[in-house]
Amino acid sequence: MPTFGLIDGNSFYCSAEQAFAPELRFRPLVVLSNNDGCAIARTPEAKALGIKMGEPWHLFRKRPESRAVEWRSSNYALYGDMSRRVYDVLTERVPQVEPYSIDEMFLDLDGIPDLERFCRDLRRDVRQIAKIPTCVGIGPTKTIAKLANKVAKKETALSGVCDLRDPELRARHYERLPVDEVWGIGGQAGAKLAAAGIATIGDFVRADPRVMRDLLTVTGARVQTELRGASCLPLSLMAPTRKGIAVSRSFGHMIDKPAELREAICTFAARAAEKLRAEGLEAGQIAVFTHTNPHNGDPWYSAQRQGKIEPTADTGLLIGEAIRLLRAVWRPGYRYFKAGVMLQDLAPARRQGVLFASFDRDQSAAAMKAMDAINARFGRGTLRIASTATTPAWAARRQNLSPRYTTQAGEMLVANSF
């Protein structure tokens, strides 16, 4: 029987902020979404004050208890690099690691002796080296390991590690945990189960598999099988090829000038092209969209245009196509609130030339490789297409942004020592 682990960063975005600002530890801290809108990460101290996930910050900050709360604008460059550091620590100690999200990674723990002690040592090493506190769940399937991780977070007596390999211990937890705690049981599935009289995980596990399959399709049947201890989801060692890449933003102020919207679209296309090349892919289709704000009383307008293109990852070519599509969606007289660029029909970059290509593929690949190398060494945006922005006036509000301690040389110097 295989053994899986799930390691998860505790309040990951907040922990990443606290790693370089020790004065924030043990204090109520929230990290806000784009435009400093809603709470997307909270420390236990912030949760204790009643701050809910997704709660608009402009409303909560008016309450008296908010005076004790520290807050930060989302710093995705920092969080992504901190996630990479956690991954590096894990791959040095665990046979196989499968990243599931920025703060969660499945582990292959098969055959490791004294597993609980190993996981406690793993938590210690991640905390000491990557500066991120974690919890670990252990189980014979991925679904059980993820459930064990939730238990480890909630029950402080477990000291951050919960092992649910033992069927009897697992059954006791199943009887007291609601079924919507299970990975893969969403709101609609939970409502269907509740209507069928299934309230706990134990109820779900005991239910007739044929009935569950009819009620929740093959996905629900697979979840039930996993909870019974039979693994249906092996560890994936190779990430599936992306189906699409999207870069979009809500603007810090309304845009009503075509030049400003064009600059934003060009910037988004350039960032999407960077992501494309980082994964060794090319795009065969591009889309541009924009819309007004549906909540401020402005007239509603939303438009999207897309088109097939010759497969490429060239920033300049993708920007040119994005501008062409933008001309079709722009309408004067509106104040635009959000826009974005989507790349689709993705495939691995071709190693050989293409007959009747409209551009020199070898020259394009060499130019992009040189640009990426310069930007990797000296910082993103060091070398860029002139139509993109460096410090745009339309950028999302990020009034309390922490430094990019680990990815920008000029900002590393202000990090606090440990």
Side-chain angles (χ1 to χ4, degrees):
M1 180 180 293
T3 303
F4 296 94
L6 179 74
I7 188 166
D8 178 25
N10 299 339
S11 302
F12 181 75
Y13 290 176
C14 292
S15 294
E17 297 285 350
Q18 291 171 328
F20 294 93
E23 68 276 9
L24 295 177
R25 296 174 189 172
F26 310 113
R27 300 186 64 180
L29 170 67
V30 298
V31 173
L32 305 181
S33 61
N34 289 334
N35 270 322
D36 295 339
C38 303
I40 57 173
R42 305 155 296 157
T43 60
E45 295 83 3
K47 295 176 184 177
L49 292 177
I51 302 178
K52 297 178 174 58
M53 182 67 78
E55 183 169 8
W57 179 242
H58 74 277
L59 295 179
F60 185 84
R61 70 188 307 172
K62 296 177 181 177
R63 303 179 194 171
E65 59 267 32
S66 70
R67 288 195 292 267
V69 178
E70 299 283 347
W71 65 278
R72 294 291 183 273
S73 303
S74 49
N75 188 341
Y76 297 117
L78 173 63
Y79 310 149
D81 192 62
M82 295 297 280
S83 177
R84 177 193 62 78
R85 289 167 182 251
V86 171
Y87 178 79
D88 289 345
V89 174
L90 296 176
T91 53
E92 290 177 358
R93 292 158 176 78
V94 180
Q96 296 172 352
V97 180
E98 177 194 337
Y100 174 64
S101 66
I102 193 171
D103 63 337
E104 294 178 284
M105 301 182 195
F106 283 106
L107 312 173
D108 176 9
L109 302 177
D110 210 17
I112 296 177
D114 197 357
L115 192 50
E116 284 199 38
R117 180 173 181 176
F118 174 84
C119 289
R120 296 189 194 285
D121 291 344
L122 195 63
R123 291 184 67 237
R124 178 202 63 207
D125 292 346
V126 171
R127 183 64 183 266
Q128 289 181 350
I129 299 171
K131 310 303 180 187
I132 297 295
T134 60
C135 286
V136 180
I138 306 168
T141 70
K142 280 185 171 181
T143 303
I144 293 173
K146 193 161 173 64
L147 181 66
N149 180 273
K150 283 192 173 184
V151 174
K153 283 190 171 185
K154 290 183 177 180
E155 299 188 11
T156 56
L158 295 173
S159 300
V161 176
C162 178
D163 185 353
L164 290 185
R165 288 176 294 170
D166 179 64
E168 292 185 5
L169 174 62
R170 199 159 64 233
R172 290 199 295 271
H173 282 287
Y174 284 180
E175 292 307 315
R176 65 180 185 80
L177 291 173
V179 71
D180 58 9
E181 291 281 327
V182 175
W183 179 40
I185 302 296
Q188 290 186 348
K192 290 180 180 179
L193 291 172
I198 295 174
T200 68
I201 299 175
D203 296 335
F204 181 55
V205 170
R206 286 188 297 271
D208 186 330
R210 292 171 298 181
V211 174
M212 292 302 97
R213 186 185 180 95
D214 291 341
L215 190 66
L216 303 179
T217 72
V218 67
T219 302
R222 186 182 298 122
V223 171
Q224 186 190 45
T225 302
E226 285 248 324
L227 288 170
R228 289 179 167 185
S231 178
C232 302
L233 302 169
L235 208 66
S236 174
L237 302 182
M238 183 176 295
T241 301
R242 278 191 192 231
K243 294 183 179 179
I245 289 175
V247 177
S248 63
R249 297 287 186 275
S250 298
F251 301 128
H253 68 80
M254 300 298 177
I255 288 181
D256 58 6
K257 297 180 175 59
E260 202 169 15
L261 187 57
R262 171 185 166 128
E263 182 185 70
I265 289 296
C266 291
T267 304
F268 300 158
R271 180 64 186 125
E274 287 179 4
K275 293 184 176 184
L276 200 62
R277 293 193 298 273
E279 299 192 27
L281 300 173
E282 293 179 332
Q285 182 170 296
I286 184 171
V288 167
F289 74 88
T290 189
H291 62 75
T292 58
N293 190 336
H295 305 298
N296 70 345
D298 279 5
W300 172 248
Y301 172 71
S302 175
Q304 175 179 316
R305 293 292 185 276
Q306 62 185 29
K308 288 283 188 181
I309 58 174
E310 188 173 328
T312 184
D314 187 295
T315 297
L317 295 174
L318 290 171
I319 285 178
E321 293 293 336
I323 292 173
R324 180 179 64 81
L325 294 172
L326 177 62
R327 295 192 187 105
V329 301
W330 165 263
R331 293 290 183 276
Y334 291 102
R335 301 195 307 159
Y336 294 94
F337 170 69
K338 186 175 183 178
V341 172
M342 296 178 288
L343 303 180
Q344 299 165 320
D345 193 12
L346 307 187
R350 302 182 189 186
R351 302 298 179 188
Q352 297 179 341
V354 178
L355 193 63
F356 306 124
S358 62
F359 62 96
D360 189 323
R361 296 181 63 86
D362 292 336
Q363 188 178 64
S364 168
M368 293 300 99
K369 183 178 179 180
M371 184 167 74
D372 290 341
I374 291 171
N375 288 335
R377 181 175 181 182
F378 298 104
R380 181 183 297 160
T382 301
L383 189 61
R384 63 183 181 86
I385 304 297
S387 58
T388 62
T390 50
T391 54
W394 45 262
R397 291 187 301 274
R398 301 171 83 183
Q399 297 178 350
N400 202 11
L401 182 66
S402 56
R404 293 163 292 182
Y405 296 108
T406 64
T407 57
Q408 290 292 322
E411 298 178 19
M412 293 178 188
L413 301 177
V414 301
N416 292 316
S417 59
F418 295 101

